[in-house]
Every structure is written in structure tokens, then in C-alpha cells.
Amino acid sequence: MKKTVIVTGGAGFIGSNFVFHMLAKYPEYRIICLDKLTYAGNLSTLKSVMDNPNFRFVKDDICDREAVYKLFEEEKPDIVVNFAAESHVDRSIENPGVFLETNIMGTATLMDACRKYGIERYHQVSTDEVYGDLPLDRPDLFFTEETPIHTSSPYSSSKASADLLVQAYNRTYGLPVTISRCSNNYGPYHFPEKLIPLMIANALADKPLPVYGEGLNVRDWLYVEDHCKAIDLIIHKGRVGEVYNIGGHNEKTNIYIVKKILELLGKPENLITYVADRKGHDLRYAIDPTKIHNELGWLPETKFDDGIVKTVNWYLENQEWWKNIISGEYQDYYEKMYGDR
Ligand code: NAD
Ligand code: TYD
């Protein structure tokens, strides 16, 4: 059946991968990408689909009520998947305001449009970071959907606030919502400020690899396509009002990841430089994906050892994409964040 899906933040990392997944899997769907093209959004990422007649790109801000309502009026979407967000913890520590604006107010604006025009499903792409962190010495503990919200950074607090609003719109107005909380993603089109692409780019340039603290913090890495497939299942088969955790039991310390990248690139470990720790640095994230597995049959398909090779190869083969990004204003950001850390 034909459906119209608005994908916000579709010019970013996960959103663009989701756009590709949806256009390939549902040739009868119309996919509209609504993206403000902030520093993290990149139109060149979407160039392979720009001429697809089932795809439309709209440059606008999810906080701009008039623009959002106009788009809903024109497109009458069946489904809205909200990826648009400020997504980098370090930036949220420097400048929380824009996180509150986009991540909370933008979510409210989108949901108001959904109420006004009527939709089949509003899906909020959230994060495991809303649960705070787990101790390093309790490998038996995992985040379930019942784990209390307990945030650490302005980023995670803004995402948690949005989740609470989404649940409120469901209970108060009956808006048909779902929420997914995924662990750290990796793969193609990951913005080079984040751990994995940053370490690949620096290693290729023989620049120091800045590891925060002792590099012992643990993240639960999922290949981005597996995340996209999980969201596809949730928007079509997930139960309204429910939260689904997404993660593939793939916990690694940061230092393991960094050493793995150096090994794959044939670069020396003396590039590793330990730098001042992140403020409020979460120790460990680890998802229990039992619910999405039992209810929707989802399981991750890409093993980390394969996914990291695919990712490193993608960055090797697509140097123009990330070199363009790191050549511009990103340099000022890098200097500010890492200059005298
Ligand atoms: P990203 O920073 O790569 O992309 C964000 C996109 O949103 C960009 O294209 C940007 O231009 C757009 N955007 C930002 N503000 C906007 C606004 N006001 N209006 C319209 N568009 C706007 O982020 P990502 O890593 O792809 O993350 C996407 C979503 O997934 C986020 O909601 C994030 O919280 C969530 N998430 C990310 C991860 C991860 O590991 N990256 C894990 C779990 C959840
Ligand atoms: P990041 O990719 O920013 O994702 P998140 O903070 O959302 O988990 O960071 C992943 C981990 O890598 C986190 O523990 C912080 C660490 N890190 C570094 O050690 N050095 C860096 O330069 C960056 C960007 C992150």
C-alpha cells in the first residue's frame, strides 16, 4: 500500500541511511526528507536519491511551525519519523540552548502538526542515553524499557524531555506514537566529530587520536542499517504508545575501538593520545533488546567485526565526503574542543 513518510533529519547520519533503506524497500512509498541542514546535515549525502521521483527534499526547521504545517498540508503524511536533532554530547556541554530548542520544541511542533492534520504514526527516534549510565563493574546490568530516565548531559536531558512529551501527547491527545531508544550507531555518513569517524580521519592523517580519560568507557555499538531495519519494523508493526530498546549486545571499550581502527588502517598505536575526560562522562551503555526481539522478531544482522571493516572501507573510499566536511568551519570546532585539552 502506498504511504507518505516524512523523515526529519534525513540529511544526517542515521536519517540518510533510513531514507536509503525506505526508498529501496518500499518503491511505492513517497519519502519526504525535512532537514534544516545544520552543520551536521549534508545534501551531498542524499545526491544518489535526489532525482528519485518518490523522494522530495525540503530544507526547513522542525521548530518553524508555519513551515512544518505548510509541509503537512501539502503532503498529508501517513507516518512521521523524527530523527532531526542536535546529537553531539560534547557540543551540548558547550552550548545547551540549541539542544533544548531543536530536540524538545522541534518535537512538540512536529507532534502539533500531527494532531492538526492527523497521521497514522508518529515515531520518535530516541537514544539509550536517556537511561543515564551503568557501572563498569556490573556486567549483569542492562537498560530495559523499564529502566528509569536518569540523564547526564544536556543532550540526553533534551532527548529524555522529548520522550516524555511524546508519551504525554499519546496519553493526553491519543496521538499514535512509538519511541525507539537505540545504542551507539556506526557506519557510512557518520559525521566526523563522533568517535569512530573521527579516529579514522585522524589516523589517516597521522594526527593524534584523542581518547577521553583512560578510554575505558563502554558503548554498545550497532551497525546503522540494523537500526534502520528496527525502526521500519516499529513503524509498521510496533504497538502504539510503546517504547522499544534497540541494541545488539556489542559492548566495547573506547580504547578497544580505537586500537581496532589503527589495526585495520595499519597505523601505529603511538598515535593514541589520552586527553582530559568529558564532563559528566557516562561510563557504560548496554541495551537489553529482548522486547523488540520477542514482539517484532528483530535481531541485528551485522556482526561488529564485519561492520567495522565495512565502515573503515567506506571512509577510505569516500574521502571526498568527509574531507569536505572537515575542511570548513569544522576546523574551528576542532581547535576549540581539542586545542589545549
Ligand atoms: P546527526 O547529527 O548526524 O543528524 C542530525 C540531522 O538533523 C542533520 O541532518 C541536521 O541538519 C538535522 N537537524 C538538526 N536540527 C534540525 C532542525 N531544527 N530542523 C530540521 N533538521 C534539523 O544525527 P544522527 O547521529 O543521525 O542521529 C539522528 C537521531 O538519532 C537523533 O535524534 C539522535 O538523538 C538519535 N540517535 C543517534 C544515535 C547515534 O549513535 N548517532 C544513537 C541513538 C539515537
Ligand atoms: P561519541 O561518538 O561522541 O558518542 P556518545 O558520547 O554519544 O556515546 O563518543 C563515544 C565515546 O567515545 C564516548 O565515551 C566518548 C569517547 N570519545 C573519545 O574518547 N574521544 C573523542 O574524541 C570523542 C569524540 C569521543
Side-chain angles (χ1 to χ4, degrees), residues 304-315:
F304 184 74
D305 283 346
D306 300 330
I308 192 69
V309 170
K310 280 208 262 187
T311 303
V312 167
N313 285 339
W314 188 88
Y315 280 85

Side-chain angles (χ1 to χ4, degrees), residues 79-99:
I79 300 173
V80 174
V81 185
N82 181 26
F83 290 92
E86 288 293 332
S87 68
H88 192 34
V89 173
D90 292 327
R91 286 186 192 250
S92 81
I93 295 168
E94 291 298 303
N95 179 19
V98 64
F99 285 72

